[in-house]
Amino acid sequence: MVFIVPPHGRTLALNINPKTTTLHLLKLAIEQTHGIPVSQQRLLLSHSLRLLGVNDSLLISDLGVGPYSTLTLHVPLYGGMQPPVVPKPRFDFLNSKPPPNYVAGLGRGATGFTTRSDIGPARAAPDLPDRSAAAASGAGRGRGKGGEDEEDEEGEDKGYDENQKFDEFEGNDVGLFASAEYDEDDKEADAVWEEIDKRMDSRRKDRREARLKEEIEKYRASNPKITEQFADLKRKLYTLSSDDWQSLEKFESGGYSSRSKKKRFESFVPVPDTLLEKARKEQEHVSALDPKSRVASGTETPWAQTPVTDLTAVGEGRGTVLSLKLDRLSDSVSGMTNVDPKGYLTVLNSMKITSDAEISDFKKARLLLKSVTQTNPKHPPGWIAAARLEELAGKLQVARQLIEKGCEECPKNEDVWLEACRLANPEEAKAVIAQGVKSIPSSVKLWLQAAKLEHDDANRSRVLRKGLEHIPDSVRLWKAVVELANEHDASLLLHRAVECCPLHVELWLALARLETYDNAKKVLNRARERLPKEPAIWITAAKLEEANGNTSMVGKIIERGIRALQREGVVIDREAWMKEAEAAERAGSVATCQSIIQNTIGIGVEEEDRKRTWVADAEECKKRGSIETARAIYAHALTLSVFMQKKSIWLKAAQLEKSHGTRESLDALLRTAVKYIPQAEVLWLMGAKEKWLAGDVPAARAILQEAYAAIPNSEEIWLAAFKLEFENHEPERARMLLAKARERGGTERVWMKSAIVERELGNIEEERRLLDEGLKQFPSFFKLWLMLGQLEERLGENAKRLDQPEKRLDHLKEAKKVYESGLKNCPNCVPLWLSLATLEEETNGLSKARAVLTMARKRNPQNPELWLAAVRAELKHASKKEADNLISKALQECPNSGILWAAAIEMVPRPQRKTKSMDALKKCDHDPHVIAAVAKLFWHDRKVDKARTWLNRAVTLAPDIGDFWALYYKFELQHGAEENQKDVLKRCVAAEPKHGEKWQVISKAVENAHQPSESILKKVVVALGKEENAADNNSKH
């Protein structure tokens, strides 16, 4: 059954089989039912609008038509309103033999042919046609080709030719509007339709690309590459021993491949003698006699000896790099050769002689440059290029002669004199440069070069002063002579310099730095009069006042300077002034830096963008080390009433003071902050913590009391006060604070902290009571369930040490009940599932633990911790095969889990770990667990530097995980220096890690309560060492 959708009608159902029906039979069936001729039918697949093929003999199933497919029938409109007329068959009479006695044209009354030469020039047509003649001739058309003439006339009446090009989709190419012109409206319509086509194509793009991608994947799956088919076999090649490889070589040495290789390499190609001789002449340099020649005292050459030819040198050619470049630069015009000497100078500077073969190239270059100097002797670059060419060829004397001629021809060009000075002997260089400055006394370069040729400062200063007599307005000469003078002479020189160069600000500033305070102010005032648009003068004036202790004047000078610059029309660039502020900070002028920031930081910034822009500026300054500039930005922002209530800016400023300031400055800032924002808990807590870290516990208590007065119902402040008392070994104070918090409706965290206090004090019954009461109020808080279950497990361990198995079993059963009850209230809590699985494994064996973990994975799909626990349980019971299956399934379900990839790397054999680590890095290259696993590989392979780099990367990515710090510290204890060990220890203490599988086990133990991070780190390192030793012992057994 196939459905047909015609243009104007209901859907037609044809009972046909697509596998046995051709396209032609289908069209015939449509013609019988609808009466549409086969030649006018165009069938398209409805779902893709794809036109079926023009080959009607194909089965429609091969064209994508299946049972119950829907086809769209399209009927084109031909030639406007009239239906197309099928052209009548014409007789091929031109290629057939005419009948006997046939005279062409006799049937229509023609008896011969007339040319233009017979009838003469063109004549005007008669006014009226000869109707009678037309009728008579029409009567005579009853025979012969009269019917054909009628067809021609009919075609002319229709307006188109039936035998013209015919298209199945568009019909005849001459339609109703064939004679119309293609105007702007048509162009616009075509553009609109083109946009519509593009839009429709873009809407179908995703679907088409998805289908194409699926087809490509299916093709690749059904037609894999050879490398993919044998990838697993290639990976197994590491199991082959050296004997196996040798046997493979023996087998290959007698096989077909070795014989074909011998045949391939035994084919020789004769080389012409001329080529060998040419190569010998160019590249062969013999500096010793062969033994046979030594026997004959070197007077004869053995006749059988053939010169040894270096065919590699033949391949290298003659080394015509210079020749090719000169050919590109040269242009032969009417017998003359022109070259660009300026471009050639750069080439000569970078060229070196590499072989004797380049001598001919030097000759060619010499001829070219000789042409340059002869045709245009007043062109200095030509002389310089010619001299450098001779220098490059090793003919220094010729180079000097050429450059001397160049100086004679171009005495007013300083480059020629500088080149002559460079090429001259040290004894003659002074005379050359003296002639140069006589020829060009206004050349600054020549005077500076003359000063360089002197060996003591006095002579240099004398030369430079002589130059200043000729060029008094040269800033470079003034700077050079000032650098050579002492402080007193420099001051005198600068006074004269600012008179000669009054518009150069550096000379004014240098003079101001050398003068006394009063004279410096006068100098800066004069400079300000001469250069009213120069901001550096105002900044220098501010620095001068700050250096002399007048800090109150600094802000006024900067403010007055900015107003004066704005009056002069100078645009105040905020970024440029910030750079000036940073420069002032580096110079030690902190007050100037602060004044610049205060007066310029808001210029050009919209009000709604001020906070974002200023914070970004401060952070950038902080990164560049400009701490005072960043502090000034925050200080200016916090002076505005708009930002005094912004907690984020106060926090940014506090972090800056904490990192780069003093405790006093931080305390003052936080005191000011809580005055404006008393409801900000974090500011109160930060101030209390800083006092606590400084060892001032009473001051920290006072701050927390003030915070509680400002925010009476803040749980964070209650818990901070509890932690302060608890960490400072004041358990009774901590219990009282928590009791008050519970009375005032504390949250689940308060109950948890209360239980922790009782646990550390050893009050088991009180701990159980608090946990039970907390669970009644907060049954969905999983940590209370965990603590209650762990309490029962601890009691079971105590009973085990006391040799009370029945009591231990009762406690473990009670712990199991607690965990099961917790899972009823928190079914998605992974730690509860893991604790229950561990307990079941300990009491009822592996099978029960498997069941628990399977149920946990069903409740919490795609959870890597549950998969990892299942894998470790199998490995613990030596079920390696089952563990491999589980890790494979786990990686399929959680392909981007770092802890699973790290476990997979450790599970595979040593030779395969590198490959597995590569796969892991492709999936999760920034996961710290994978990076730590790769670091272990480098560690085991004794690649110390790489292991250190990867471990550092792991702790940088996850500084809160203590296991990585322990691994890093253990590595440095084994391979690092004492400085590295101290650095790791310091960084770990600063990071204060709280998480990690092994870290939490040790840090949360009751005996390790209140231990600093340093001691916890060392204990974790000891635990890691014991674990590695146990693993090594198991692998040996």
Side-chain angles (χ1 to χ4, degrees):
M1 180 78 68
V2 176
F3 298 98
I4 308 297
V5 180
H8 303 290
R10 292 181 299 177
T11 302
L12 173 65
L14 297 178
N15 190 10
I16 59 174
N17 185 3
K19 295 183 178 180
T20 59
T21 304
T22 62
L23 183 60
H24 183 66
L25 294 177
L26 176 62
K27 290 182 178 180
L28 290 176
I30 295 173
E31 183 179 9
Q32 292 176 2
T33 55
H34 275 267
I36 301 174
V38 173
S39 60
Q40 299 180 23
Q41 296 181 22
R42 292 180 67 253
L43 294 173
L44 301 94
L45 287 173
S46 297
H47 65 279
S48 64
L49 297 179
R50 181 169 60 85
L51 180 66
L52 298 184
V54 296
N55 190 356
D56 290 354
S57 62
L58 293 176
L59 295 174
I60 59 175
S61 59
D62 296 337
L63 300 176
V65 180
Y68 304 104
S69 294
T70 301
L71 302 180
T72 301
L73 177 61
H74 176 71
V75 180
L77 299 177
Y78 298 102
M81 301 297 294
Q82 297 178 352
V85 178
V86 179
K88 298 179 180 179
R90 290 179 177 270
F91 298 103
D92 191 11
F93 61 90
L94 293 177
N95 296 326
S96 60
K97 187 177 180 181
N101 301 323
Y102 171 74
V103 178
L106 186 61
R108 59 178 183 270
T111 57
F113 297 94
T114 304
T115 63
R116 174 67 63 184
S117 61
D118 295 330
I119 63 176
R123 293 171 295 178
D127 294 336
L128 295 175
D130 189 358
R131 301 289 184 182
S132 60
S137 60
R141 287 178 196 152
R143 298 173 299 173
K145 297 294 181 179
E148 186 173 347
D149 293 337
E150 292 176 1
E151 292 175 10
D152 293 340
E153 292 175 0
E154 184 181 354
E156 292 175 0
D157 294 338
K158 292 178 180 178
Y160 63 89
D161 186 6
E162 296 176 353
N163 295 322
Q164 62 190 359
K165 184 178 178 181
F166 180 79
D167 183 78
E168 288 191 358
F169 180 68
E170 296 182 354
N172 291 314
D173 53 3
V174 178
L176 183 61
F177 304 102
S179 59
E181 294 183 357
Y182 187 78
D183 55 5
E184 292 297 328
D185 293 339
D186 297 331
K187 185 177 180 180
E188 183 180 0
D190 290 342
V192 170
W193 281 110
E194 186 176 356
E195 290 296 326
I196 292 173
D197 292 339
K198 288 182 180 179
R199 179 71 179 272
M200 296 301 295
D201 183 69
S202 64
R203 291 175 60 182
R204 294 190 292 266
K205 181 179 179 182
D206 296 338
R207 189 168 52 193
R208 184 173 64 251
E209 289 181 353
R211 185 170 65 253
L212 180 61
K213 183 178 180 181
E214 184 179 358
E215 292 175 358
I216 291 174
E217 290 177 354
K218 288 182 180 179
Y219 175 78
R220 288 178 177 174
S222 59
N223 300 283
K225 297 181 180 178
I226 295 296
T227 55
E228 296 176 356
Q229 293 179 0
F230 295 99
D232 53 344
L233 298 177
K234 288 170 70 176
R235 288 188 177 181
K236 292 180 181 178
L237 288 177
Y238 75 91
T239 59
L240 293 179
S241 62
S242 57
D243 296 335
D244 296 336
W245 285 108
Q246 290 178 1
S247 62
L248 287 174
E249 292 175 0
K250 290 178 183 178
F251 173 77
E252 186 182 358
S253 61
Y256 171 76
S257 60
S258 62
R259 291 196 298 271
S260 61
K261 288 178 183 177
K262 289 179 181 178
K263 289 180 181 179
R264 188 189 314 157
F265 290 112
E266 286 178 356
S267 59
F268 298 99
V269 177
V271 180
D273 294 339
T274 56
L275 181 60
L276 296 176
E277 185 65 20
K278 187 177 181 181
R280 183 186 68 79
K281 287 180 180 180
E282 292 180 356
Q283 298 293 339
E284 185 179 306
H285 302 282
V286 180
S287 59
L289 296 174
D290 65 317
K292 295 182 180 180
S293 298
R294 285 200 297 270
V295 173
S297 300
T299 57
E300 63 181 40
T301 302
W303 64 272
Q305 184 177 4
T306 304
V308 180
T309 302
D310 186 5
L311 291 180
T312 305
V314 178
E316 292 175 355
R318 296 183 57 204
T320 56
V321 176
L322 183 58
S323 175
L324 290 175
K325 290 186 178 179
L326 289 174
D327 289 340
R328 291 186 191 132
L329 293 170
S330 62
D331 178 24
S332 179
V333 179
S334 65
M336 296 179 59
T337 302
N338 301 323
V339 69
D340 180 13
K342 292 184 179 179
Y344 188 62
L345 289 177
T346 308
V347 177
L348 290 177
N349 286 332
S350 60
M351 288 204 58
K352 294 181 180 179
I353 300 178
T354 57
S355 67
D356 295 339
E358 296 183 357
I359 298 299
S360 61
D361 297 327
F362 279 100
K363 293 179 180 178
K364 188 175 181 179
R366 191 176 290 117
L367 291 174
L368 289 171
L369 292 174
K370 184 178 180 182
S371 174
V372 172
T373 54
Q374 288 180 354
T375 56
N376 190 5
K378 299 299 181 181
H379 190 57
W383 293 104
I384 297 173
R388 289 187 183 179
L389 177 67
E390 298 301 337
E391 181 190 10
L392 194 62
K395 298 180 179 182
L396 191 57
Q397 191 62 33
V398 179
R400 290 170 181 165
Q401 294 174 0
L402 283 172
I403 202 63
E404 185 178 354
K405 291 181 182 178
C407 292
E408 294 174 359
E409 296 289 345
C410 309
K412 297 299 182 181
N413 185 271
E414 60 183 10
D415 293 332
V416 178
W417 288 106
L418 290 172
E419 185 69 16
C421 180
R422 187 183 69 83
L423 292 174
N425 291 326
E427 297 81 8
E428 300 175 356
K430 291 184 180 180
V432 172
I433 206 69
Q435 294 178 5
V437 295
K438 286 181 181 178
S439 300
I440 320 173
S442 61
S443 174
V444 178
K445 290 183 179 179
L446 292 180
W447 286 108
L448 291 174
Q449 182 64 28
K452 286 181 182 179
L453 294 176
E454 300 295 338
H455 299 291
D456 57 339
D457 291 345
N459 290 335
R460 289 197 190 99
S461 179
R462 182 172 54 82
V463 172
L464 292 172
R465 294 188 185 196
K466 191 70 174 177
L468 286 171
E469 293 178 5
H470 294 87
I471 324 169
D473 58 345
S474 173
V475 178
R476 294 178 62 187
L477 290 179
W478 281 113
K479 286 183 179 179
V481 75
V482 168
E483 288 176 358
L484 296 173
N486 55 33
E487 185 174 351
H488 177 69
D489 294 341
S491 177
L492 296 176
L493 288 169
L494 285 171
H495 274 288
R496 178 60 180 162
V498 296
E499 292 177 3
C500 297
C501 308
L503 299 180
H504 198 77
V505 67
E506 290 187 10
L507 298 177
W508 287 104
L509 298 182
L511 178 59
R513 283 193 289 267
L514 292 176
E515 293 291 342
T516 60
Y517 173 61
D518 295 330
N519 292 335
K521 289 198 295 184
K522 295 178 181 178
V523 169
L524 290 175
N525 288 332
R526 287 168 53 200
R528 193 162 56 242
E529 293 174 359
R530 294 295 184 92
L531 299 168
K533 296 183 179 181
E534 186 58 53
I537 299 174
W538 293 96
I539 296 173
T540 305
K543 291 180 181 178
L544 179 65
E545 296 295 338
E546 183 178 358
N548 287 274
N550 299 329
T551 54
S552 59
M553 290 294 296
V554 174
K556 297 179 181 178
I557 290 174
I558 296 295
E559 183 179 358
R560 195 167 61 211
I562 291 174
R563 287 201 301 266
L565 291 171
Q566 287 176 341
R567 283 196 304 269
E568 293 293 334
V570 178
V571 178
I572 305 299
D573 186 1
R574 194 176 67 92
E575 300 292 335
W577 280 87
M578 282 184 60
K579 291 180 181 179
E580 293 292 343
E582 294 183 35
E585 177 186 351
R586 289 192 293 270
S589 303
V590 178
T592 304
C593 168
Q594 294 173 351
S595 299
I596 292 173
I597 292 298
Q598 183 178 0
N599 287 280
T600 61
I601 193 65
I603 296 176
V605 181
E606 299 292 337
E607 289 190 7
E608 58 270 15
D609 296 334
R610 285 187 300 180
K611 178 183 176 183
R612 176 181 54 82
T613 305
W614 290 352
V615 170
D617 291 339
E619 292 299 319
E620 289 297 324
C621 292
K622 183 179 176 182
K623 290 179 182 178
R624 291 193 292 265
S626 303
I627 305 302
E628 292 296 334
T629 307
R631 185 179 286 125
I633 293 173
Y634 284 131
H636 174 70
L638 292 172
T639 56
L640 302 177
S641 59
V642 179
F643 299 117
M644 286 181 180
Q645 305 297 326
K646 298 292 184 182
K647 182 174 66 175
S648 59
I649 297 182
W650 286 107
L651 285 175
K652 290 282 186 182
Q655 291 294 336
L656 180 67
E657 294 297 332
K658 183 178 180 182
S659 303
H660 302 281
T662 61
R663 292 185 184 274
E664 292 76 13
S665 63
L666 177 59
D667 182 62
L669 179 69
L670 292 174
R671 287 284 183 184
T672 308
V674 296
K675 288 181 181 178
Y676 291 106
I677 319 176
Q679 302 299 320
E681 296 176 348
V682 63
L683 296 175
W684 290 105
L685 295 177
M686 185 180 291
K689 186 175 182 180
E690 290 301 320
K691 289 294 184 183
W692 176 28
L693 293 177
D696 193 354
V697 178
R701 287 198 187 108
I703 291 175
L704 289 175
Q705 288 176 358
E706 293 179 17
Y708 186 73
I711 317 172
N713 295 322
S714 173
E715 181 184 280
E716 294 293 335
I717 295 176
W718 278 107
L719 293 178
F722 150 73
K723 184 176 181 180
L724 177 67
E725 304 296 345
F726 191 59
E727 295 292 337
N728 286 281
H729 307 288
E730 296 285 347
E732 295 301 328
R733 284 175 175 267
R735 293 172 74 178
M736 290 175 57
L737 288 170
L738 291 174
K740 290 182 179 179
R742 292 197 303 272
E743 290 176 0
R744 301 193 179 191
T747 61
E748 59 268 16
R749 292 179 62 197
V750 174
W751 290 93
M752 182 183 70
K753 297 291 184 182
S754 303
I756 290 174
V757 173
E758 301 300 335
R759 181 182 66 186
E760 294 194 5
L761 294 176
N763 300 329
I764 297 174
E765 297 301 327
E766 183 66 17
E767 178 185 0
R768 181 182 279 112
R769 184 187 68 80
L770 288 171
L771 290 173
D772 290 337
E773 291 182 5
L775 287 172
K776 290 179 182 178
Q777 297 185 30
F778 310 101
S780 60
F781 188 56
F782 73 95
K783 287 188 177 181
L784 295 178
W785 293 106
L786 275 176
M787 292 177 65
L788 185 57
Q790 291 168 0
L791 172 63
E792 298 296 341
E793 290 190 32
R794 286 201 312 273
L795 294 176
E797 291 295 324
N798 293 335
K800 182 179 180 181
R801 285 197 295 269
L802 297 175
D803 197 12
Q804 298 175 352
E806 295 182 357
K807 193 172 182 182
R808 171 178 176 271
L809 188 60
D810 293 339
H811 283 299
L812 293 181
K813 289 181 179 178
E814 190 65 27
K816 180 181 177 181
K817 291 181 182 178
V818 171
Y819 290 141
E820 290 176 347
S821 301
L823 288 172
K824 290 180 181 177
N825 291 279
C826 313
N828 297 323
C829 178
V830 175
L832 281 175
W833 284 107
L834 294 177
S835 300
L836 179 58
T838 304
L839 183 61
E840 290 289 357
E841 183 182 359
E842 184 180 355
T843 56
N844 299 322
L846 179 61
S847 59
K848 192 67 176 176
R850 283 176 182 166
V852 172
L853 290 172
T854 303
M855 180 64 68
R857 291 198 300 273
K858 289 182 179 179
R859 293 288 183 89
N860 304 276
Q862 298 182 352
N863 190 281
E865 287 83 4
L866 295 174
W867 282 104
L868 184 60
V871 171
R872 288 178 176 174
E874 300 295 340
L875 290 175
K876 186 177 179 180
H877 292 80
S879 300
K880 184 68 170 57
K881 187 175 181 180
E882 186 65 26
D884 291 339
N885 294 334
L886 282 174
I887 198 68
S888 300
K889 294 179 181 178
L891 290 175
Q892 290 177 359
E893 188 170 335
C894 309
N896 297 321
S897 173
I899 56 174
L900 291 178
W901 279 108
I905 293 172
E906 295 179 357
M907 286 174 59
V908 297
R910 181 70 62 85
Q912 299 179 12
R913 289 183 180 177
K914 185 176 180 181
T915 305
K916 184 65 74 173
S917 63
M918 296 280 288
D919 298 338
L921 289 173
K922 289 179 182 177
K923 290 291 185 181
C924 38
D925 56 341
H926 294 296
D927 190 278
H929 297 87
V930 175
I931 292 172
V934 175
K936 288 182 183 178
L937 293 182
F938 289 127
W939 186 356
H940 293 155
D941 293 340
R942 301 291 179 179
K943 297 179 180 179
V944 178
D945 293 336
K946 287 189 176 181
R948 180 178 288 110
T949 302
W950 284 76
L951 285 171
N952 184 43
R953 186 180 170 192
V955 298
T956 304
L957 287 172
D960 194 48
I961 300 180
D963 294 356
F964 300 148
W965 288 108
L967 193 66
Y968 195 6
Y969 187 62
K970 185 174 184 296
F971 169 80
E972 293 296 347
L973 289 175
Q974 185 174 347
H975 297 286
E978 185 176 357
E979 295 179 358
N980 296 338
Q981 298 169 13
K982 291 181 179 178
D983 180 63
V984 173
L985 197 61
K986 181 180 177 181
R987 290 170 60 190
C988 177
V989 172
E992 297 182 357
K994 294 290 189 297
H995 298 90
E997 185 179 356
K998 298 176 179 60
W999 183 276
Q1000 286 184 321
V1001 171
I1002 294 175
S1003 64
K1004 290 189 175 182
V1006 178
E1007 61 271 14
N1008 295 326
H1010 311 293
Q1011 292 290 331
S1013 299
E1014 182 178 351
S1015 60
I1016 299 293
L1017 177 66
K1018 294 179 179 179
K1019 290 183 179 181
V1020 175
V1021 170
V1022 174
L1024 286 175
K1026 292 180 180 179
E1027 185 178 342
E1028 289 185 3
N1029 294 332
D1032 293 339
N1033 294 331
N1034 292 334
S1035 62
K1036 290 179 182 179
H1037 296 298

